[in-house]
Amino acid sequence: MADFPTGQVDLGKVKVAIHRRLLQKLNLDRVTQLGREAVRAEVSQIVESLATAESTPMTLPERERLVQEVLDEVFGLGPLEPLLKDPTISDILVNTHKDIYIERLGLLERTPVQFRDEAHLLAIIDRIVSAVGRRVDESSPMVDARLADGSRVNAIIPPLAIDGPCLSIRRFGRDPLTVDDLLRNQTLTSGMLALLRGCVSARLNILISGGTGAGKTTLLNVLSSFISNRERIISIEDPAELQLHQDHVVRLETRPPNIEGKGAILQRQLMINCLRMRPDRIIVGEVRGDEALDMLQAMNTGHDGSLTTIHANSTRDALGRLETMVAMCNLNLPEVATRRQIASAIDVVVQVSRLSDGTRKVMSIAEITGMEAEIISMQEIFAFKKTGLADTGAVLGEFMATGIRPRLAERLAASGVNLPPSMFELARLP
């Protein structure tokens, strides 16, 4: 064991040696069949034999750490396992084998975690994608996958990734955020929530807009929880992220092309098929292409109460993006016809944002009121107004009612949802 000088233990090299010795002693198939505890005992014996050797003195914490790291290599994702076990981490971003960041509470931070080398990182990526029947190599250097806990994974390798393999993991907690969590985090106010709850109950069509990581899916999850258990919900996603807990839910997910570039199933195909499945509610995880036209037509032909999200920087931009997506269908519809479709299909647009301090806010709730000439008319009901930054970097601001009583209040009242007129009066919201 001359590789390990006396008094200086290179835990990385020891771990590699233990891993190699373990795989020599037990083939990998048998290792996974034995189970974690049996392998833990085997690894502990090997660590003990190394520790008793004069050239590799190790403390008890070092031994325990080695055992855990080797188990992570055999059964998990190696050095990423401790990060995956931390419930406060929402994103794990591997830029290179020695450059790993996480997002915690909306803010990015660098970690001391590293892979041994590029080959080590590639082996972990291969383990992830092979578990879902996919592959990643020079002929297919980009791949999407999903971990067993539902976390979304994207990997991209050279030659497309110039500095080495990159891995991005978007994590989803086992327990999604609830209404109480949003109120506690001051994402919105109780009055804003009451309005959105009423809109869902009254079967209004809601579009949630925001940037990457703004909290669109989280808000969509919360709003979907207001749907009655007596309704049949069909969700369409790419990839599946929603966590719906109603009794009657059918989840549909797109399929990427195979290695030969064939066999892909797109959101538009799922949307068309969904309409043949007698949905009471249609939830599209994110509208991003020509399926926008079929979604709008569904909303306009009796499938009300639908929910979806879109990438956009404001409520007005969200409508512009929808218009662009409809144009992708190449049907040469006049602009005004597309806008009329949007104006009659979408009732409420909610804008969410992640602010500079990492907090997420509902920045605006607006209703679509129809058309004025060739322009879609909107009016803002609630808004978050930023006023500055504290010394700590925290964003200062307040939620405001704009003073406009929305037209949709009458539709809500007709559905048994009665909101006090005072909640819409121009004022700072508590």
Side-chain angles (χ1 to χ4, degrees), residues 168-409:
S168 304
I169 302 177
R170 166 64 62 85
R171 304 200 51 221
F172 301 100
R174 295 178 183 176
D175 300 316
L177 294 181
T178 64
V179 170
D180 293 336
D181 293 323
L182 296 191
L183 293 174
R184 189 181 308 113
N185 296 338
Q186 298 183 342
T187 302
L188 75 177
T189 67
S190 56
M192 297 164 75
L193 185 63
L195 174 64
L196 293 176
R197 184 196 295 265
C199 290
V200 174
S201 299
R203 302 182 63 86
L204 272 61
N205 295 319
I206 301 175
L207 177 65
I208 300 171
S209 166
T212 301
K216 300 186 298 297
T217 302
T218 297
L219 183 58
L220 183 59
N221 257 324
V222 169
L223 296 188
S224 66
S225 70
F226 302 144
I227 299 174
S228 168
N229 266 321
R230 294 174 294 180
E231 298 184 66
R232 174 174 167 86
I233 304 170
I234 298 181
S235 67
I236 298 171
E237 298 181 81
D238 175 22
E241 300 175 1
L242 295 174
Q243 300 178 30
L244 305 175
H245 298 290
Q246 283 83 353
D247 295 333
H248 197 160
V249 176
V250 177
R251 303 172 69 209
L252 306 180
E253 184 180 32
T254 59
R255 185 176 72 188
N258 59 23
I259 297 171
E260 295 158 356
K262 300 178 181 178
I265 302 296
L266 305 178
Q267 283 201 139
R268 187 173 192 187
Q269 294 167 275
L270 294 180
M271 173 62 73
I272 293 170
N273 192 81
C274 165
L275 299 177
R276 301 168 183 154
M277 298 173 66
R278 196 227 168 262
D280 287 317
R281 302 265 191 165
I282 299 173
I283 300 179
V284 181
E286 181 186 335
V287 60
R288 58 180 66 176
D290 54 6
E291 73 275 3
L293 176 61
D294 302 282
M295 183 189 73
L296 293 174
Q297 289 178 333
M299 291 176 173
N300 278 320
T301 55
H303 296 90
D304 49 1
S306 297
L307 304 167
T308 189
T309 74
I310 192 171
H311 268 84
N313 294 323
S314 69
T315 53
R316 177 62 66 179
D317 286 347
L319 303 186
R321 286 215 66 209
L322 266 183
E323 189 176 335
T324 300
M325 291 173 186
V326 172
M328 294 168 65
C329 297
N330 295 319
L331 297 180
N332 297 318
L333 292 174
E335 283 187 355
V336 66
T338 300
R339 291 172 184 169
R340 290 188 191 281
Q341 283 267 358
I342 294 172
S344 59
I346 305 294
D347 299 300
V348 177
V349 184
V350 183
Q351 183 70 31
V352 294
S353 293
R354 180 177 60 182
L355 304 182
S356 59
D357 60 357
T359 59
R360 293 169 171 87
K361 303 284 186 186
V362 173
M363 303 299 291
S364 175
I365 300 178
E367 69 168 337
I368 294 179
T369 57
M371 296 282 293
E372 291 182 4
E374 297 185 356
I375 303 299
I376 300 173
S377 57
M378 303 175 68
Q379 57 185 20
E380 193 172 53
I381 304 169
F382 295 115
F384 179 78
K385 303 297 184 184
K386 292 188 288 186
T387 57
L389 290 176
D391 293 338
T392 59
V395 173
L396 303 177
E398 54 191 18
F399 291 102
M400 300 287 295
T402 61
I404 297 174
R405 178 173 172 79
R407 297 184 185 181
L408 57 81

Side-chain angles (χ1 to χ4, degrees), residues 13 55 76 85 91 160 163 198 256 310 345 406 421:
K13 289 184 178 179
S55 58
K85 292 173 183 174
D91 285 270
L160 301 186
D163 298 321
I310 192 171

